[in-house]
Amino acid sequence: MQVTHLFHSGFLVELPHTLLLFDYWQGVLPRLAQDKPLFVFVSHRHHDHYSREIWQLLHRHPDVRYVVDSGVPLPPSRPENLLIVQPRQRYTWQGVHIETIRSTDEGCAFLVEAEGTSVYHAGDLNWWHWEGEPDADNAWHDKAFHEELDHIRGRRFDVACLPLDPRQEGNAWWGFVDFLRACPCDRVFPMHYGADRSAMLAYLQLPELAPWLSRIHTEDHWSEEETAAPCQKGESEP
């Protein structure tokens, strides 16, 4: 398995026989293996998670399959291999198992299983607590986030892509840590920090993140062949 962080919330997960591309809108795609089907996931229509350029992948790859939230605008010529999804649903489609949960903003988060590997991509599902916002709004986000988390509590993921957004200042790590407390994850990739990489990295110095630090990956490209498994036999879960 290889994981490439493209930019912001965009990720390419390459498995032995399958390519999974999540929320791609900016950054340079690596060379795509032409003999592997490419599943393109779009969690919602926001400009920092979706670009119309994804439809051009049909001209760059021989086997593209789109899995998009129902609010995402479709091109005039609708792709043949297209699955439109709704939150809180399960799908088995073209050999891949897909589950969605509801975002606390727009669209959905993805839980994907392919070739025995489980991947979680949060989209914009997060505990969005903003300083200066009305208490009622922040309370709603708290409740909504934890309701979705309860929906999947105890599930294990090989790969989890989670927001760690410096714009939330001192509150940015709350949802990140609560997710890791609820769902065991072997490899965790922070996202949704745009170009503010240094501010994202600063959160990793917090004691609250220490139990998971060996599992958190911030490199642009991670390969299972180059990195030992974060949880060795006999290592306890946080």
Side-chain angles (χ1 to χ4, degrees), residues 64-141:
V64 185
R65 310 170 187 187
Y66 292 94
V67 182
V68 303
D69 171 69
S70 59
V72 172
L74 300 178
S77 179
R78 181 176 172 139
E80 183 175 327
N81 286 328
L82 172 68
L83 176 66
I84 299 175
V85 300
Q86 301 278 352
R88 292 278 188 95
Q89 299 295 324
R90 295 183 179 184
Y91 309 86
T92 298
W93 187 64
Q94 302 199 18
V96 172
H97 301 288
I98 303 161
E99 184 176 349
T100 58
I101 53 177
R102 185 173 292 115
S103 173
T104 43
D105 194 346
E106 280 199 33
C108 62
F110 289 112
L111 296 76
V112 179
E113 185 172 341
E115 299 186 44
T117 297
S118 56
V119 179
Y120 174 82
H121 188 281
D124 262 356
L125 172 58
N126 191 28
W127 185 353
W128 296 113
H129 185 104
W130 300 98
E131 295 297 338
E133 289 298 309
D135 290 344
D137 288 356
N138 282 328
W140 181 90
H141 278 280

Side-chain angles (χ1 to χ4, degrees), residues 134-150:
D135 290 344
D137 288 356
N138 282 328
W140 181 90
H141 278 280
D142 179 354
K143 182 175 183 292
F145 173 73
H146 288 96
E147 282 180 353
E148 295 308 302
L149 199 54
D150 286 342

Side-chain angles (χ1 to χ4, degrees), residues 132-207:
E133 289 298 309
D135 290 344
D137 288 356
N138 282 328
W140 181 90
H141 278 280
D142 179 354
K143 182 175 183 292
F145 173 73
H146 288 96
E147 282 180 353
E148 295 308 302
L149 199 54
D150 286 342
H151 193 67
I152 61 171
R153 189 175 298 275
R155 298 274 288 273
R156 172 180 284 279
F157 299 100
D158 296 298
V159 171
C161 305
L162 307 177
L164 192 56
D165 191 330
R167 296 175 303 166
Q168 289 188 275
E169 300 176 334
N171 313 317
W173 59 271
W174 293 3
F176 191 91
V177 167
D178 275 11
F179 184 93
L180 295 177
R181 286 172 176 159
C183 299
C185 301
D186 289 344
R187 302 161 189 90
V188 184
F189 295 84
M191 68 177 195
H192 214 279
Y193 54 85
D196 203 352
R197 177 182 173 85
S198 60
M200 178 276 294
L201 290 173
Y203 292 110
L204 304 187
Q205 306 303 314
L206 295 173

